[in-house]
Amino acid sequence: MFIIACGGHQGAIEFYDRHPVNEAQVLAAVARRRGSGTTSLQAADLFDFDQDHYGGLPAVETLARKAGVVSTSRVLDVCGGLGGPARFLAHRFGCRVVAVELNAGRAAGAARLTRLVRLDRHVVIARADATALPFARARFDACVSQEAFLHIADKATVIGECRRVLRPGGRLAFTDWIAQPRLGDLERARLRDWMAATTLQTLDGYRAMLGRAGFTAVEAHDLSDEWRPILRSRLEMYRALRADTIARFGEAWYRDYQQVYGFFVGLVEDGKLGGGRLSGTA
Ligand SMILES: C[S@@+](CC[C@H](N)C(=O)[O-])C[C@H]1O[C@@H](n2cnc3c(N)ncnc32)[C@H](O)[C@@H]1O
């Protein structure tokens, strides 16, 4: 079993260095579907493969509406991964998006994918840490994030940073894993050691945190029932990526990842872990 025993952000960096959803896998999946190379690709050609969260494009669209995104919005995607949600927002709404991503390989891959589909005038990828955003106060109209704050121990700081870079009246909307009351200490420790889930908040914990950071009109929505079937099919998706994943990271790593992901999905099935969507006005 692999263990991520590093403190700070190192655990999350290592976890995503060997993640089954990666730039090469996205390009291979697109080429398989098209039966050809990657010339003249459109952003929409990537959307089935470049979204590393639960619920696909409808989830991004819902979040965008909660964040008040329109064509003129300056949007920040915090922990943007391979840039999939950022490209979708630019494609769907015509807005400008900056995606901040900590992992160097993922940030570089996100920038390459964005250039490949010629969206680089609308989407900028910045390699940075979400707890120290390299932007001036009030620089954005909307902040979004999906399934990433679980990796950040200091959630108050990242939420405070979102508040700082939003203009007054701007909106933050994010989804994340949430801890349910029966989640035990041993299970929390395993999620930390195996999936770089440093600390997990409850829905009420997040709601209070947004209030303390100065957000108003805070809304919190439990997504656990929606996520359960999505996570089951995601486990199936990782199984379907078996050959790609073994070729890239080896058989032992594939086996370990399946076991770890199965443990995670089991916690969601048992109602010990779930998902939440939070939003608020700066
Ligand atoms: C589950 S992925 C989600 C990616 C993207 N939001 C999406 O939905 O496709 C979580 C991402 O958060 C990034 N991340 C983790 N900690 C971070 C931090 N402190 N600052 C910026 N990005 C971070 C990881 O490298 C990873 O790419």
Side-chain angles (χ1 to χ4, degrees), residues 197-217:
T198 53
T199 54
L200 296 172
Q201 263 301 334
T202 60
L203 202 58
D204 283 343
Y206 262 139
R207 195 199 309 261
M209 210 173 258
L210 262 72
R212 281 196 296 275
F215 284 95
T216 58

Side-chain angles (χ1 to χ4, degrees), residues 62-69 75-78 133 140-146 149 155-175 206 209-211 213-220 277-282:
T62 302
L63 212 55
R65 301 219 176 273
K66 289 275 174 196
V69 173
V75 182
L76 177 66
D77 183 5
V78 184
L133 293 172
F140 295 98
D141 304 300
C143 250
V144 294
S145 183
Q146 288 173 279
F149 292 172
K155 296 187 197 335
T157 294
V158 69
I159 287 170
E161 278 292 86
C162 292
R163 170 89 170 81
R164 182 182 66 77
V165 301
L166 277 171
R167 65 161 168 82
R171 295 271 301 163
L172 166 66
F174 67 92
T175 49
Y206 262 139
M209 210 173 258
L210 262 72
F215 284 95
T216 58
V218 173
E219 287 176 22
R277 183 175 54 237
L278 282 295
S279 57
T281 303

Side-chain angles (χ1 to χ4, degrees), residues 242-255:
R242 182 173 186 277
D244 267 8
T245 308
I246 290 177
R248 206 151 288 127
F249 306 123
E251 172 99 42
W253 189 91
Y254 169 80
R255 233 189 1 254

Side-chain angles (χ1 to χ4, degrees), residues 1 183-184 186-192 194-195 235 256-270 272-273:
M1 176 64 65
L183 185 69
L186 184 63
E187 290 156 339
R188 282 180 187 264
R190 286 191 169 156
L191 291 170
R192 183 195 61 221
W194 294 350
M195 298 186 83
L235 191 56
D256 285 354
Y257 193 85
Q258 282 302 310
Q259 204 176 326
V260 165
Y261 209 82
F263 170 72
F264 160 62
V265 174
L267 292 177
V268 177
E269 298 275 9
D270 285 354
K272 294 181 173 181
L273 191 63

Side-chain angles (χ1 to χ4, degrees), residues 9 12-13 15-16 19 50-54 60 77-85 100-103 106 128-131 145-152 158 234:
H9 298 310
I13 292 173
F15 185 71
Y16 285 97
H19 197 274
D50 64 355
Q51 310 288 315
D52 190 8
H53 54 258
Y54 314 129
V60 190
D77 183 5
V78 184
C79 306
L82 293 170
V100 161
E101 168 57 42
L102 178 69
N103 182 291
R106 261 179 138 60
D129 177 1
T131 61
S145 183
Q146 288 173 279
E147 282 73 285
F149 292 172
L150 65 125
H151 297 304
I152 300 176
V158 69
R234 203 160 168 104

Side-chain angles (χ1 to χ4, degrees), residues 13-58:
I13 292 173
E14 284 192 8
F15 185 71
Y16 285 97
D17 273 345
R18 292 187 298 170
H19 197 274
V21 178
N22 56 65
E23 179 193 11
Q25 177 267 325
V26 170
L27 293 174
V30 171
R32 265 198 301 272
R33 173 176 288 178
R34 287 164 51 105
S36 64
T38 55
T39 45
S40 67
L41 276 186
Q42 306 294 318
D45 292 320
L46 306 182
F47 291 153
D48 279 346
F49 312 108
D50 64 355
Q51 310 288 315
D52 190 8
H53 54 258
Y54 314 129
L57 302 184

